[in-house]
Amino acid sequence: MEPQQRRDEDVGHRIPAGRAALSGLVATAAALGVVELLAGALGGVQSLVISVGDAAIDSVPGWLERAAIAALGTHDKPVLLTVVVLVCALLGAGLGLLARRRFAIAATGFVLFAGLGVAAALADPRGSALGTVLVGLLGAAVGVVLLHRLLAEARVPEPGAGGQQEGVASETDRRRFLLVAAGVTALAVAGGVGGWLLTGRERLGELRAAIRLPVPFRQAGPVSPGADLEIPGLTPLFVPNKEFYRIDTALRVPIVDPTTWHLEIRGRVDNPFTLTYGELMAMPQIEADITLSCVSNEVGGDLVGNARWQGVPLRPLLERAGLQDGATQLLGRSVDGFTAGFPTITALDLEEAMVAVAMNGEPLPAEHGFPARLVVPGLYGYVSATKWLSAIELTDWDVDGYWIPRGWAKEGPIKTSSRIDVPAPGSRVAAGRRPIAGVAWAPTRGIEGVEVRVDDGLWQQAELAERLDVDCWRQWYLPWDATPGRHVIAARATDGLGEVQTDERTPVAPDGASGYPVIEVVVEG
């Protein structure tokens, strides 16, 4: 029998299940808050909550990952983080219930709980092993101490003891318990918020604001008025940075200090070297309009975007390193351990393949890879678009990037695709003359035509916006005399090689979805 249990019984007290569960939940929240605060304050210690979430991302089967992206899109990470927090809350409540009768076992549960977070955090290459273990142990200790204190305040007299009504604590005892629980909850919130503030995001914003981008030696061409149709509801030619899609494996955006960051070029090269951020920024840079697409983008989906990128071409970096025989793959490595690889010949052949440092005229946002990332036209992001870049490693083709063992194809060329933006899928529109409009893309090949079909009619040639670059998507539109009723609208694009977008419907795995985008609208007369 545990000491706490004997003490309760000796004085005729017990702990109600509701209070025990609340005690465990609040104590767990406070422990996590303290851990988050310490992780933010100490260098080299990763958030244990985020680390557990990252481990979950790395361990779930590919089909579940694809289903999550398909269902949640860019909201997948907030949902996963919410699930992790809810699981922590349920475990905490369970430990509180267990502690009523077996406090020592519940305390051990806190230690094991912390150990799980520590193990996940130690898998992160950025983490300090000693610091992570110490933070985890301190978090567990805080949880155990607070749970003990909360349970002491949660006790109520046994039925008939002390002259009180059966199973009901005095108003004073109830208020004292709630006051202590509120205080511990405030500690949890303060720790969580403090940890977030200490991640360095505010300082990173100041550093980004102070960066002055160099003038590229080769600038992207001017944007003529005919390149952006400016039709209401049509995706703009350049997607604003805050609206640009984001799909990656980082549950929390890595905050990388450019003053200490460096980029390694290594592997099968004769002259490996390292660049600081200042050295990279001092190199000759180019500017290019490039459309990026996620391989998880469903037909007609929004996991695609176009931006004006600026950075250092890959070719001179590889030439400086000196490629050895067998250096057939360029593997990008992120600061958080993510990897993506593509054929080295692609980096040598495409002048626009770059280590990007800017997006739409400003230093890369943290969410999109600051301080540097890879941008390679014509390849899905899962094999090319390494964000928060830390190393470029030349390997042979047998080395696999992060996504390949998870069921995705080794090579990922972007398929010729199109999307209907106007009218919106499933919308109701008024009868009369109105546009059907959208975007089409085939990076490295360009778009030469888009056709539209309404119901079972003939394919009609749409009007194309002026071309900026073969790597950039093109807007298109078709005037439509909309008549009352339900209508089905389809589109298909033709790329610069004369290849027409296929009507064969395939899923996103293993190398990208295909098929015509098809929408239904109701015209009200």
Side-chain angles (χ1 to χ4, degrees):
M1 184 176 296
E2 298 298 330
Q4 179 65 38
Q5 180 187 354
R6 289 199 303 268
R7 192 180 305 117
D8 289 345
E9 292 178 352
D10 289 343
V11 297
H13 283 72
R14 67 185 182 85
I15 302 174
R19 290 192 179 190
L22 180 60
S23 297
L25 190 155
V26 172
T28 299
L32 293 176
V34 169
V35 167
E36 291 299 298
L37 182 63
L38 292 174
L42 301 176
V45 178
Q46 306 304 317
S47 162
L48 303 192
V49 174
I50 299 299
S51 296
V52 170
D54 286 338
I57 291 175
D58 291 343
S59 59
V60 299
W63 65 265
L64 181 57
E65 212 155 16
R66 292 191 291 273
I69 293 175
L72 303 172
T74 56
H75 301 294
D76 59 336
K77 293 171 184 62
V79 170
L80 176 58
L81 185 56
T82 300
V83 170
V84 171
V85 172
L86 288 176
V87 170
C88 291
L90 291 174
L91 288 174
L95 291 175
L97 290 170
L98 179 62
R100 288 195 304 163
R101 302 299 179 193
R102 297 289 184 267
F103 186 85
I105 297 178
T108 303
F110 266 90
V111 175
L112 294 176
F113 192 21
L116 176 64
V118 168
L122 290 177
D124 192 314
R126 297 167 291 169
S128 162
L130 179 60
T132 299
V133 171
L134 290 177
V135 167
L137 289 175
L138 183 57
V142 167
V144 171
V145 170
L146 291 177
L147 177 61
H148 187 276
R149 170 63 175 159
L150 285 161
L151 290 176
E153 297 295 340
R155 291 179 296 162
V156 300
E158 289 283 4
Q164 296 194 36
Q165 295 181 4
E166 183 174 332
V168 180
S170 70
E171 184 66 16
T172 301
D173 289 341
R174 186 182 69 84
R175 288 180 177 178
R176 187 170 60 187
F177 170 72
L178 293 178
L179 183 62
V180 173
V184 177
T185 301
L187 173 64
V189 173
V193 173
W196 184 84
L197 292 175
L198 290 172
T199 57
R201 181 176 293 273
E202 183 175 348
R203 180 172 182 269
L204 180 62
E206 295 172 353
L207 291 171
R208 287 184 65 250
I211 294 173
R212 296 294 176 264
L213 296 175
V215 177
F217 76 86
R218 194 187 77 207
Q219 295 178 292
V223 180
S224 63
D228 195 337
L229 300 177
E230 297 184 351
I231 295 173
L234 177 60
T235 305
L237 179 61
F238 295 106
V239 178
N241 292 352
K242 290 185 178 181
E243 299 174 17
F244 206 93
Y245 80 94
R246 178 196 160 208
I247 296 292
D248 50 56
T249 62
L251 191 55
R252 175 183 288 176
V253 174
I255 303 300
V256 184
D257 188 338
T259 63
T260 58
W261 173 87
H262 60 271
L263 173 64
E264 292 183 76
I265 288 81
R266 66 191 191 203
R268 295 195 174 195
V269 296
D270 294 324
N271 307 300
F273 62 95
T274 299
L275 294 171
T276 65
Y277 186 69
E279 291 169 336
L280 182 68
M281 293 293 283
M283 296 184 69
Q285 298 186 9
I286 61 173
E287 195 176 53
D289 301 327
I290 300 173
T291 296
L292 300 185
S293 176
C294 178
V295 72
S296 295
N297 193 42
E298 299 281 356
V299 174
D302 59 0
L303 301 182
V304 58
N306 187 67
R308 177 160 287 187
W309 306 91
Q310 178 177 329
V312 175
L314 280 172
R315 184 191 296 168
L317 294 175
L318 300 183
E319 290 174 345
R320 174 178 169 181
L323 300 179
Q324 297 177 352
D325 291 342
T328 54
Q329 180 176 216
L330 189 154
L331 193 73
R333 293 190 178 274
S334 173
V335 299
D336 64 355
F338 174 81
T339 56
F342 58 93
T344 306
I345 191 65
T346 301
L348 297 173
D349 285 349
L350 297 180
E351 295 182 356
E352 293 78 12
M354 70 175 81
V355 177
V357 297
M359 179 181 183
N360 288 330
E362 65 176 77
L364 287 172
E367 292 78 7
H368 294 291
F370 183 83
R373 63 170 292 168
L374 290 176
V375 171
V376 183
L379 297 179
Y380 288 118
Y382 82 102
V383 295
S384 66
T386 307
K387 294 187 281 191
W388 313 292
L389 188 65
S390 65
I392 293 173
E393 185 173 348
L394 279 303
T395 71
D396 60 32
W397 196 241
D398 291 334
V399 178
D400 288 336
Y402 178 90
W403 287 111
I404 310 310
R406 291 167 170 79
W408 297 91
K410 182 73 170 178
E411 297 188 61
I414 296 177
K415 298 178 179 180
T416 301
S417 304
S418 58
R419 186 179 70 206
I420 303 170
D421 290 341
V422 180
S427 62
R428 292 178 174 270
V429 300
R433 195 165 181 81
R434 57 187 58 260
I436 299 173
V439 288
W441 59 95
T444 70
R445 306 179 300 280
I447 293 295
E448 290 299 324
V450 172
E451 297 169 281
V452 178
R453 182 176 64 194
V454 179
D455 299 324
D456 294 323
L458 298 176
W459 288 101
Q460 304 176 65
Q461 284 289 342
E463 298 290 332
L464 293 177
E466 291 186 23
R467 184 205 309 276
L468 278 189
D469 190 277
V470 293
D471 297 325
C472 173
W473 65 15
R474 293 180 79 174
Q475 297 175 338
W476 55 266
Y477 81 101
L478 177 75
W480 175 41
D481 292 319
T483 58
R486 183 177 298 273
H487 297 280
V488 176
I489 304 173
R492 67 183 184 188
T494 300
D495 64 25
L497 301 178
E499 295 293 330
V500 180
Q501 179 179 354
T502 179
D503 64 345
E504 181 184 358
R505 201 81 174 190
T506 63
V508 295
D511 60 356
S514 66
Y516 298 158
V518 179
I519 68 169
E520 287 191 11
V521 297
V522 174
V523 178
E524 299 174 329

